[in-house]
Amino acid sequence: MNEETYVVKFLGIPFNITNVISGLAAFAIVFCLVYFLSRNLAMKPTGKQNVLEWIIDFTNGIVSSNIPGEQGKRFNLFAFVLFLFIFVSNQMGLAIQIIVGGTTYLKSPTSDPMVTMSLALMVLLLAHFFGVQRFGVKGYLVNSYLRPVSFMLPIELLEEFTNFLTLSFRLYGNIFAGEVLLTLVGSVAKSHGLITTVVALPLEMVWQGFSVFIGSIQAYVFVTLSMVYISQKVEKE
Amino acid sequence: MLSHFVVGAASGLYIGDLLFYLVSFILLLLLIKHFAWGPVTKMMENRATKISNDLDYAEDSRTKASSLQAQRQKELDNSQQEATGIVNDARQNGEKQRQTILSTAQDEAGTLKSNAQKDIAQEREDALKSAQNDVAALSIEIASKIIQKELKADDQKALIDSYIEGLGKQNGAR
């Protein structure tokens, strides 16, 4: 799990090498997957193109149900990439974890709070940016914090932080917990030889299946909430 | 393990990770946009417009076909009416012509008959007249022939003789 973290300082900035490697792997998998699916496009879609278009339709549906109209169209690509990245990251740790000498080199990137916080930060920055772009600084402030009633201002301000925290820690918590339990079941399997292995194997399988489900749901939830937060900033209240 | 619940407390906040993820996410966004998203969405839009065009076209041709169908039906009805009219006209014309031909024929036959009767009457009259003429001519000829015979000596002598004999007998017996 997180026995040791291998930190590299580059230009005085600390990098957690586990996250960097896992993230690179997730990005590479997403890109290769999409690149592979998008070859040989045709007017009449077949096979892999259908898969890709189904995913695109799915994420477009998430976007358009939260940000209706032309406004939402520019978030389609963002939602698509975000969804795929989180989905792949969630599943990655279930399939493979590389731990060498107590140091984890490859796991689910989303089981690290820094990663989910980065993603949440990115989403909320985008939300504020597009809010300002749409209404101007004054309009953005009024629309975000003083509408519909101005005495909610403290709660609105607090909400900005809770949004960020809940968005990032929901994802992190789910994936991290899944991996923790997987590791625990794994250590049970190794504890007393063959008997515990036989007992732990179906448990592990069941939990892995459940984690696949949770990973998918969490990817969907993260993207949906991202779009909700963005829509709160870019839609008139 | 607990250290992770206090975010970043264990070994510092890895700002580098944040930057790394931001940069690589943007990179991934651009790559996917260039290699997959652009072509796929373009294809999907093309398909959407093609489908809507096809639908419009189908709707168009459907209305066109139905209007053609209605027109055809109307024309069919018209032509049926026309055909009935033509047949009726032809029948009436035929009847009329028959009547005319019949009456003409009757007239002609009447004329012919009366002409023939007239001719016959004329001819009869002519024949009678010519017969009368012939009889008269014959009488005259006979008369002249008789007269010419008197003039001949023998005949005259015989006649006179007979006549004289007749006379003598008449006298002797008296």
Side-chain angles (χ1 to χ4, degrees):
Chain A
M1 201 77 280
N2 57 320
E3 289 83 359
E4 293 281 322
T5 43
Y6 185 44
V7 180
V8 172
K9 281 217 172 194
F10 181 72
L11 298 174
I13 306 168
F15 284 89
N16 184 342
I17 211 73
T18 311
N19 287 346
V20 171
I21 292 174
S22 311
L24 264 183
F27 285 122
I29 290 171
V30 169
F31 178 72
C32 290
L33 179 75
V34 173
Y35 187 81
F36 164 72
L37 289 178
S38 66
R39 292 308 91 187
N40 299 325
L41 295 175
M43 198 61 130
K44 280 186 187 169
T46 49
K48 51 195 179 128
Q49 194 186 345
N50 271 328
V51 174
L52 185 60
E53 289 190 4
W54 180 80
I55 302 171
I56 289 175
D57 276 340
F58 176 69
T59 54
N60 284 1
I62 298 175
V63 175
S64 63
S65 62
N66 289 302
I67 314 170
E70 282 297 311
Q71 179 91 297
K73 286 221 171 119
R74 56 181 164 176
F75 298 111
N76 282 349
L77 173 62
F78 176 67
F80 174 70
V81 177
L82 191 66
F83 176 79
L84 271 187
F85 174 67
I86 293 173
F87 181 78
V88 168
S89 301
N90 291 351
Q91 311 303 347
M92 230 171 74
L94 302 178
I96 188 165
Q97 285 203 21
I98 298 177
I99 302 171
V100 179
T103 306
T104 312
Y105 284 99
L106 190 69
K107 59 173 182 121
S108 280
T110 41
S111 68
D112 187 283
M114 266 320 282
V115 175
T116 58
M117 279 161 81
S118 304
L119 293 172
L121 194 67
M122 186 163 60
V123 167
L124 292 171
L125 273 178
L126 269 179
H128 289 284
F129 172 77
F130 280 111
V132 173
Q133 195 195 45
R134 174 102 196 269
F135 299 114
V137 176
K138 191 162 170 272
Y140 153 75
L141 288 173
V142 170
N143 186 56
S144 296
Y145 303 111
L146 302 177
R147 294 261 174 79
V149 279
S150 52
F151 66 82
M152 295 283 273
L153 177 64
I155 295 175
E156 299 271 8
L157 283 174
L158 189 65
E159 203 188 354
E160 295 303 326
F161 294 100
T162 55
N163 280 352
F164 169 65
L165 288 176
T166 53
L167 188 61
S168 52
F169 286 136
R170 180 181 303 105
L171 179 58
Y172 157 67
N174 275 285
I175 306 309
F176 182 67
E179 290 197 353
V180 166
L181 207 67
L182 276 185
T183 319
L184 282 178
V185 175
S187 59
V188 166
K190 284 184 282 185
S191 59
H192 289 95
L194 196 64
I195 303 160
T196 46
T197 309
V198 170
V199 173
L201 196 67
L203 265 179
E204 184 92 352
M205 283 165 68
V206 166
W207 186 250
Q208 255 179 340
F210 189 58
S211 289
V212 168
F213 173 69
I214 285 184
S216 314
I217 291 291
Q218 285 308 314
Y220 172 72
V221 166
F222 192 93
V223 174
T224 305
L225 283 175
S226 300
M227 289 308 134
V228 168
Y229 295 151
I230 290 176
S231 85
Q232 278 177 356
K233 294 289 173 256
V234 300
E235 297 284 321
K236 241 186 168 61
E237 275 178 34
Chain B
M1 201 190 291
L2 270 175
S3 68
H4 258 272
F5 293 108
V6 185
V7 179
S11 43
L13 207 60
Y14 310 123
I15 300 295
D17 291 4
L18 199 150
L19 292 175
F20 172 78
Y21 274 87
L22 282 182
V23 170
S24 29
F25 192 88
I26 289 163
L27 214 65
L28 180 70
L29 213 69
L30 292 177
L31 281 174
I32 284 183
K33 184 176 186 179
H34 181 257
F35 283 108
W37 183 264
V40 170
T41 46
K42 198 170 160 232
M43 187 62 77
M44 286 164 92
E45 260 164 42
N46 283 350
R47 189 183 309 134
T49 47
K50 188 182 182 302
I51 287 171
S52 76
N53 281 350
D54 285 1
L55 281 177
D56 286 353
Y57 180 74
E59 179 65 28
D60 230 43
S61 39
R62 204 182 62 78
T63 47
K64 215 179 275 176
S66 71
S67 75
L68 266 176
Q69 161 84 17
Q71 198 180 334
R72 213 173 52 115
Q73 190 60 42
K74 218 165 81 182
E75 270 168 19
L76 207 67
D77 290 351
N78 275 356
S79 61
Q80 260 171 352
Q81 265 175 358
E82 243 167 71
T84 325
I86 287 168
V87 168
N88 280 346
D89 277 3
R91 199 175 288 157
Q92 273 173 359
N93 276 351
E95 187 68 21
K96 215 179 280 172
Q97 219 158 343
R98 200 174 70 94
Q99 289 292 347
T100 339
I101 288 169
L102 213 63
S103 60
T104 326
Q106 271 171 346
D107 282 1
E108 235 165 78
T111 324
L112 274 177
K113 205 172 156 192
S114 64
N115 276 358
Q117 273 170 346
K118 230 182 274 176
D119 279 0
I120 289 164
Q122 184 76 39
E123 243 160 83
R124 214 174 114 227
E125 215 168 303
D126 284 358
L128 271 175
K129 213 173 260 176
S130 74
Q132 266 178 349
N133 284 346
D134 281 356
V135 168
L138 270 175
S139 309
I140 289 168
E141 213 169 317
I142 288 166
S144 73
K145 265 185 185 161
I146 291 165
I147 293 164
Q148 269 177 347
K149 214 175 207 178
E150 265 181 347
L151 289 176
K152 276 173 186 169
D154 292 347
D155 291 349
Q156 206 179 7
K157 200 184 170 181
L159 192 66
I160 291 165
D161 284 347
S162 67
Y163 204 67
I164 292 166
E165 268 177 48
L167 277 176
K169 277 175 188 177
Q170 250 182 352
N171 284 348
R174 214 177 313 158

